[in-house]
Structure formats: structure tokens, C-alpha cells
């Protein structure tokens, strides 16, 4: 692919990692962050080639919004009039309805293309110092184009992202994305964060193995970001939490009643459900 000029707003873990990955492909990377120290660090470490100023926005062939959902919409509102009509804009936010609906409107109003995006990759650490050009290697990128979007433009963005290391690209709608991500990501973060609050956690040393590590890995989250994501997807996340609470209550009731038969049934159902899902995905 020929060299392009790519602008990235937000130079945290996700944005800076994308800068490194695309920069390694020979593209010219311009970046901007609200934190002056992060901006200087990005330039010093050559994570970006230069600062993404207002004057540089019209030079960009692609623009990525690697900030929180509300900030992504706000940033696009401020620079919409400066974006070339052949530029593709993509966000990296963890929810899509709250971002795509206003951004689709802005794109239609000003004549450029906006495609929602969510990389299925990350770390339990945040910030530019943890940025990794290999973060997206083998990962899936979810793209959310506007209805009846030109498939050539979706393909163009997909090709660019594959160059950054993404193994596959999944195309969906904002509604379906948020429904799925409430279960696969957001619920797991709530459960992990709540699980570690047990008073027993302070005494777990020498009594824990893989199960503890697996379940608590994402408890070390960024509370500012995840609060916004959870509230932006409250309906879907609320549904998943209600399902989990009902299931947990069944286990709790069986244990309290010393009901081995019911408990065994519940455990068997969970095991069989996991096996069936694993087999289904293996066959695809």
C-alpha cells in the first residue's frame, strides 16, 4: 500500500500503539493529545512524525479518534469542517451507538466518510508508555459503517488496518456491536472488579492459582473510561447483569439448601453450555 498521511487523536495505549503499527508500514503519522507531556513524549520517541494541528487535518487521508466516546464526538464536531471529502474517519471506542449516531450525521453533513471501529485488543495497563506496535497482531477489528456505505471505502480501511497487524475484520451494526460487547467484555470487567472486593482477597496469597489470576486480570481497569462505556451501554449491560444475578442466586440457593441434586444440575448445565459453544466455534 502506498504511503498515506494518518492523523490520530488521543495518544494513550490504543492510539499510540496504532501510531507505531501504521508508522512501521511507512505511513506518515501525525498525532495529538490533550496532555502536553504525552504529546512531547510521542514526538521524542518518534511514535508520531509530527503534531496534528488544524492546518494539518486537511492533509490526512485517514483520521482515527482514539479517545473516550464523548471526547470522540466532540473532537469530530470541532474539526469536521476541515476534513477532506475523500478522508475516512474511524474511532476506536468500546461502544458504538453513542459514537456512530452523531458521527454519521456529521459525516453526512460535511461530506466525508465515518466508519465506527473497535479493536479487539488491549492490556490491563493504560498510557503511552505501554504502547506496543505489535498490540494488534492477530487481533480482530470490528467495523461499523453507515447503512448502504460504499463497500470500497470499507475495504480500503480494512486493508490499512490489516497492514497494522489485524488478522480479520468483522462488519456489524452499532446495535449488534453494543449487544455483543456487553457480554463479551463489559460484563467480564464488572465481575472481575466486583470479585476482588471480597474481604478474603487480602489473604489469598499462597492459596491461589490460575483461576484467581484469570478472573482478576481485568479488575485493574481505567475507572474513568469504563464508567463512560458502561453508562453509554446501560441497557445491554443491565440485561447481562440481570441474567448473571439470577444465575448466581440459583447457585446460592442450592448451596444454602444443601441441595446437591440442583447444584450438580446447575454445574452440569454450565459445563455443557461451555462445551457446546466451544465446539460450535471450532467448527466454523
Amino acid at each position: 500500500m502506498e504511503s498515506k498521511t494518518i492523523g490520530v487523536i488521543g495518544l494513550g495505549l490504543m492510539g499510540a500503539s496504532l501510531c507505531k503499527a501504521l508508522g512501521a508500514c511507512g505511513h506518515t503519522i501525525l498525532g495529538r493529545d490533550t496532555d502536553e507531556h504525552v504529546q512531547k513524549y510521542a514526538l521524542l520517541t518518534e511514535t508520531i512524525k509530527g503534531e496534528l494541528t488544524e492546518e494539518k487535518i486537511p492533509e490526512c487521508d485517514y483520521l482515527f479518534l482514539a479517545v473516550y466516546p464523548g471526547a470522540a464526538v466532540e473532537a469530530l464536531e470541532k474539526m469536521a469542517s476541515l476534513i477532506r471529502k475523500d478522508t475516512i474517519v474511524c474511532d476506536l471506542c468500546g461502544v458504538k451507538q453513542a459514537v456512530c449516531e452523531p458521527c454519521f450525521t456529521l459525516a453526512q453533513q460535511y461530506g466525508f466518510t465515518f466508519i465506527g471501529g473497535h479493536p479487539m485488543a488491549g492490556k490491563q495497563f493504560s498510557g503511552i508508555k505501554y504502547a506496543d506496535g505489535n498490540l494488534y497482531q492477530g487481533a480482530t477489528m470490528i467495523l461499523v459503517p453507515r447503512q448502504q456505505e460504499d463497500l470500497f471505502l470499507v475495504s480500503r480501511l480494512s486493508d490499512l488496518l490489516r497492514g497494522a497487524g489485524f488478522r480479520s475484520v468483522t462488519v456489524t451494526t452499532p446495535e449488534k456491536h453494543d449487544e455483543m460487547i456487553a457480554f463479551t467484555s463489559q460484563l467480564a470487567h464488572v465481575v472481575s472488579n466486583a470479585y476482588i472486593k471480597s474481604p478474603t482477597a487480602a489473604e489469598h496469597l499462597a492459596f491461589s492459582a490460575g483461576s484467581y489470576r484469570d478472573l482478576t486480570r481485568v479488575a485493574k481497569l481505567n475507572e474513568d473510561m469504563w464508567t463512560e462505556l458502561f453508562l453509554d451501554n446501560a441497557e445491554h449491560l443491565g440485561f447481562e447483569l440481570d441474567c448473571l444475578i439470577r444465575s448466581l442466586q440459583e447457585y446460592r440457593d442450592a448451596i444454602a439448601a444443601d441441595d446437591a441434586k440442583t447444584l450438580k444440575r446447575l454445574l452440569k448445565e454450565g459445563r455443557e453450555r461451555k462445551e457446546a459453544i466451544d465446539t460450535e466455534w471450532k467448527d466454523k
Side-chain angles (χ1 to χ4, degrees):
M1 178 182 286
E2 64 178 296
S3 177
K4 300 292 184 180
T5 298
I6 299 171
V8 179
I9 294 178
L11 301 175
L13 172 67
M14 306 302 282
S17 294
L18 187 65
C19 288
K20 288 175 176 285
L22 291 173
C25 297
H27 302 296
T28 299
I29 311 299
L30 305 176
R32 187 172 79 202
D33 197 276
T34 55
D35 188 318
E36 178 185 352
H37 300 293
V38 170
Q39 184 76 47
K40 290 179 178 178
Y41 183 85
L43 288 166
L44 183 66
T45 57
E46 298 185 343
T47 300
I48 59 175
K49 185 75 172 178
E51 183 177 355
L52 180 63
T53 61
E54 287 190 356
E55 293 74 23
K56 293 288 186 180
I57 288 173
E59 298 179 14
C60 293
D61 302 295
Y62 297 88
L63 280 165
F64 289 93
L65 309 174
V67 290
Y68 298 173
V73 175
E74 183 180 346
L76 192 58
E77 286 173 341
K78 289 180 178 178
M79 65 180 182
S81 63
L82 304 174
I83 300 172
R84 287 200 329 251
K85 295 188 185 304
D86 62 339
T87 296
I88 296 177
V89 182
C90 180
D91 76 289
L92 304 183
C93 299
V95 291
K96 294 275 71 79
Q97 285 178 281
V99 176
C100 287
E101 290 173 9
C103 289
F104 285 155
T105 300
L106 285 167
Q108 190 169 20
Q109 180 181 351
Y110 289 95
F112 58 85
T113 299
F114 177 84
I115 299 174
H118 184 188
M120 295 289 95
K123 297 179 180 180
Q124 63 266 45
F125 306 108
S126 60
I128 191 171
K129 69 178 181 177
Y130 296 107
D132 181 358
N134 294 316
L135 181 66
Y136 302 117
Q137 287 293 327
T140 295
M141 179 68 166
I142 299 176
L143 292 182
V144 183
R146 187 177 58 181
Q147 281 189 346
Q148 300 177 329
E149 184 61 84
D150 186 340
L151 293 180
F152 170 74
L153 297 176
V154 178
S155 178
R156 217 178 89 191
L157 178 58
S158 298
D159 290 343
L160 178 81
L161 292 167
R162 285 193 175 92
F166 288 97
R167 182 189 74 253
S168 62
V169 173
T170 297
V171 178
T172 188
T173 65
E175 297 78 11
K176 190 64 176 178
H177 169 277
D178 288 358
E179 178 188 349
M180 291 294 101
I181 219 67
F183 173 72
T184 62
S185 176
Q186 293 183 343
L187 181 63
H189 282 77
V190 173
V191 170
S192 180
N193 196 261
Y195 172 79
I196 198 63
K197 292 178 180 178
S198 166
T200 313
E203 303 172 17
H204 81 277
L205 194 63
F207 289 87
S208 63
S211 299
Y212 170 84
R213 289 192 298 270
D214 291 345
L215 192 50
T216 58
R217 184 181 64 83
V218 294
K220 294 190 291 185
L221 46 70
N222 178 334
E223 61 270 18
D224 293 324
M225 180 183 75
W226 285 100
T227 295
E228 185 170 345
L229 293 175
F230 291 162
L231 294 180
D232 279 340
N233 201 24
E235 181 179 354
H236 294 302
L237 179 56
F239 170 80
E240 296 298 341
L241 283 168
D242 287 342
C243 290
L244 179 62
I245 290 168
R246 285 195 298 270
S247 291
L248 288 173
Q249 190 62 54
E250 289 182 316
Y251 290 93
R252 181 70 184 94
D253 291 345
I255 291 168
D258 196 25
D259 187 347
K261 181 179 179 181
T262 298
L263 182 58
K264 184 176 180 180
R265 174 181 60 79
L266 293 170
L267 295 169
K268 182 173 182 287
E269 288 173 351
R271 173 180 58 78
E272 290 178 343
R273 179 68 167 150
K274 169 63 173 171
E275 290 171 350
I277 291 172
D278 286 351
T279 299
E280 181 182 347
W281 279 102
K282 185 178 180 181
D283 292 341
K284 286 188 176 181

